[in-house]
Structure formats: C-alpha cells, structure tokens
Amino acid sequence: MKKINLAVVGATGMVGRTFLKILEERQLPIENFYVMASSRSAGKTISFNGKDYVVEELTENSFDKPIDIALFSAGGSTSEKFAPIAAAHGCIVIDNSSQWRMDPEVPLVVPEVNPEDLSWHKNIIANPNCSTIQAMVPLKPLDEKYKIKRVVYSTYQAVSGAGLAGWADLENGLKGEEPKKFPHAIANNCLPHIDVFLENGYTKEEMKMIDETKKILHDDNMRVTATTVRVPVFNSHSESINLEFEKPFELDELIETLKNAPGIVLLNDSANNEYPLAASVTGRDEVFIGRVRRDESVDNGINLWVVADNIRKGAATNAVQIAEEIIKKMNA
Ligand code: A2P
C-alpha cells in the first residue's frame, strides 16, 4: 500500500487532538506527518506514533511541500482561506468546519451513508456537522426501506462540541465561575442556542442539520425541522429523532433493519433500563440507538434515541474514515 503524506490543521484543538489519536488507533499508512495550528502554538511539540512533531504555523506556504491529505479542524475562516490553497496544490482537504458543506462543488460525506459522493470531489470534501453525522447513520437505511417524509430533531449536545473553550465553561461553571464561551451559564442549565441566530428564528446549528440532511440523503423535498440544545454534559451528543415515513412498517422489521445497518449498535431493551447514554458511549466510534417505538400520533411514524461521541464519530472518526476511503481509491 502506498504511504501518504498527511497534515492535521488545528492539531492542538479538541477535534485535532482526537484526529491524532484515531490516526494512531487505525494505523493509517503515513510517510510524512505534519501538525499545523496558529502562531500561538507554533514550536510546541506533539507526540504521534511514539515520535515528537513540532507544530508549524499554518501559512500560505504550508502546502508548498507535497501533502496528499490534510484534515482541517481550525474553524470556518481558517478553512475558507487555506483549504483552497491546499486544494490548488493537489492536496485533498477533509474539512470539519461548516465553511464548505453546502457548496454544490463539495461533497458532504458520511462513509457508511453516501460514499458514492466521494467520486466527484475537487480536492475539498466536507465532514458534516456532528449532530448531522450521528443522525444520518440510522436515517439512511430507514429512508431506503420506508422513504422518510418528515424528520423532527431535538438535540441534547455536549460542551465538547464548542471546543476547548466550551469544555472549560462547564468545568469552571461547576465551580461557580462566569461563562466565557457561552452566552449564559451552562452548568445546571440547558441553552436552546447553538451557533448564531438567523433571520428565520432558527439557529445556524439547526439549519445545518436541516440542510445537511437533505444534501446527504439526496432529497430536497424531505421535510426537516430541528431544535438544538446545549446541555451540561462534557462529551457525546444525544438526539431525539421523530420520523414519519411514506410506507407502513412492522416495528420488528424496522428494528432488524437498524441492527443490520453499518455503524450502528442497538441498545434497545427499555424493560431492563437499557438505552444509550452519553456517559457510556464516549470513546466509541459507533452510533448507539435505543427507545425505538412507534409514534402513535401519526400513521407511519417512529421515535428514536440516538447517541454518539461527537468528537469521534461526529468529527474526527468520520473524517479519518473519509481519509481511509480516499487512500483505498489511491491504491485501487
Ligand atoms: P491554536 O491552538 O494555535 O489556537 P478548538 O476548537 O478545540 O479550540 O481548536 C481550534 C484549533 O484551530 C486549534 O488547534 C487552533 O490552534 C486552531 N486555529 C485557530 N485559529 C487558527 C488559525 N488562524 N490558523 C491555524 N490554526 C488555527
């Protein structure tokens, strides 16, 4: 197998550090490895696969050297400026920010769901929003079988999704300190406010879930709504997902469909208090599903409880899985 040159941009951040961990765990075939961040971190060392690497400041010249794949998680404005520079140098960017996700020239990919979209990239591939990724894994097999008409998302999102600063707000807030990242205290609170508010009254996070769902499932007519809430949980996002289908279904068969779909672990034994929990899925790469039950208020509806590690499957693992698919194509 051909070894690749790989860069991690934003290597000192919450997702960036997890990129390194997952690249080590999954043993990607790496020849030359580069870690990049802002000038604030330049010169620090980061250990990877038993070796120390010096953090480079990301500049317009960072991609002058041959780099096959760059995993970006350094915020939207960094991606806006530097992803096109990397792409123009022949480097394939897998970008975790929201900057390129809705660009019609950029595929938005969850490898278990729409790997076919990797075929048309122009050197930038977008990693979906964390809350969208974990929802797509169950929605895809159900949409294929029963055709989804309408989706109602309600999320319970961990502070790690807001990076190191979000994590610090909960940690310090529990000691009585004022928040620095969030607009209100997150300790002992729930904030129905993730990302900025838009003119239609939704938050940007909610619109990301709505728009990204339609793009990934290739269905502009799907009706989707969302309420996204930040909760005082350090890691792993939980979601209540209500689905209405065009076709009728047998509940047993639907549960079997979820059980057999890639990337899913079913924890669906409510009688024995078994359902997915944020605290127990942290550190895992799968999407966990429970509380599967018929929505008795409509003809063909169900409710699901869907939990995943937002930093792993919701960000770093998904991006590394995309990199693995690209490497497979390079070796084909
Ligand atoms: P740095 O640590 O040097 O600020 P998080 O979202 O967890 O806070 O992580 C953000 C990541 O993005 C960090 O690695 C941060 O680097 C990096 N980053 C932020 N701004 C820039 C920039 N202008 N150029 C390169 N990396 C950046």
Side-chain angles (χ1 to χ4, degrees), residues 10-14 37-38 40-41 58 73-74 78 163-164:
T12 50
M14 184 74 91
S38 77
R40 294 180 290 274
S41 307
L58 176 68
S73 190
T78 304
L164 293 168

Side-chain angles (χ1 to χ4, degrees), residues 293-305:
R293 64 206 190 278
R294 197 175 275 279
D295 172 356
E296 294 176 339
S297 70
V298 292
D299 285 340
N300 305 312
I302 56 155
N303 289 302
L304 302 173
W305 180 247

Side-chain angles (χ1 to χ4, degrees), residues 60-269:
E60 284 162 20
N61 302 116
S62 295
F63 299 92
D64 290 352
K65 48 190 172 289
I67 300 178
D68 300 292
I69 297 179
L71 304 176
F72 270 61
S73 190
S77 54
T78 304
S79 292
E80 182 181 18
K81 177 162 177 201
F82 292 98
I85 295 174
H89 281 78
C91 170
I92 299 175
V93 173
I94 302 169
D95 182 37
N96 192 50
S97 82
S98 61
Q99 181 62 35
W100 302 100
R101 289 182 192 147
M102 295 313 295
D103 188 317
E105 305 264 280
V106 174
L108 183 65
V109 177
V110 180
E112 295 93 332
V113 173
N114 60 334
E116 70 280 4
D117 285 327
L118 288 173
S119 63
W120 52 270
H121 75 80
K122 295 179 177 161
N123 285 359
I124 302 180
I125 297 160
N127 209 35
N129 174 264
C130 45
S131 305
T132 313
I133 291 176
Q134 72 184 67
M136 290 306 95
V137 175
L139 261 60
K140 169 72 179 187
L142 297 179
D143 186 44
E144 258 178 3
K145 199 148 184 171
Y146 307 112
K147 187 85 184 117
I148 296 171
K149 211 157 71 173
R150 179 166 187 254
V151 185
V152 182
Y153 292 125
S154 309
T155 72
Y156 306 74
Q157 296 183 218
V159 293
S160 60
L164 293 168
W167 188 288
D169 258 17
L170 177 55
E171 208 162 52
N172 297 330
L174 290 168
K175 296 181 217 150
E177 287 178 30
E178 291 296 313
K180 293 198 178 97
K181 170 80 179 172
F182 299 121
H184 301 281
I186 184 66
N188 299 311
N189 225 351
C190 296
L191 309 181
H193 177 180
I194 303 183
D195 210 329
V196 294
F197 280 104
L198 304 172
E199 258 179 25
N200 64 357
Y202 280 72
T203 60
K204 196 168 165 198
E205 183 81 354
E206 289 159 350
M207 290 313 298
K208 284 178 206 166
M209 287 193 83
I210 293 167
D211 295 337
E212 293 177 21
T213 295
K214 296 177 188 181
K215 179 165 175 175
I216 295 167
L217 296 178
H218 306 134
D219 184 356
D220 285 339
N221 297 321
M222 193 178 280
R223 286 185 280 165
V224 188
T225 188
T227 302
T228 60
V229 181
R230 188 76 69 192
V231 296
V233 166
F234 280 106
N235 196 56
S236 293
H237 290 351
S238 306
E239 298 179 357
S240 155
I241 304 182
N242 176 268
L243 299 174
E244 203 180 333
F245 303 113
E246 282 182 6
K247 299 182 189 162
F249 62 89
E250 291 300 330
L251 190 59
D252 287 353
E253 190 190 65
L254 182 147
I255 290 171
E256 212 46 36
T257 303
L258 286 173
K259 204 167 167 183
N260 295 330
I264 289 178
V265 176
L266 212 60
L267 295 176
N268 191 40
D269 186 5

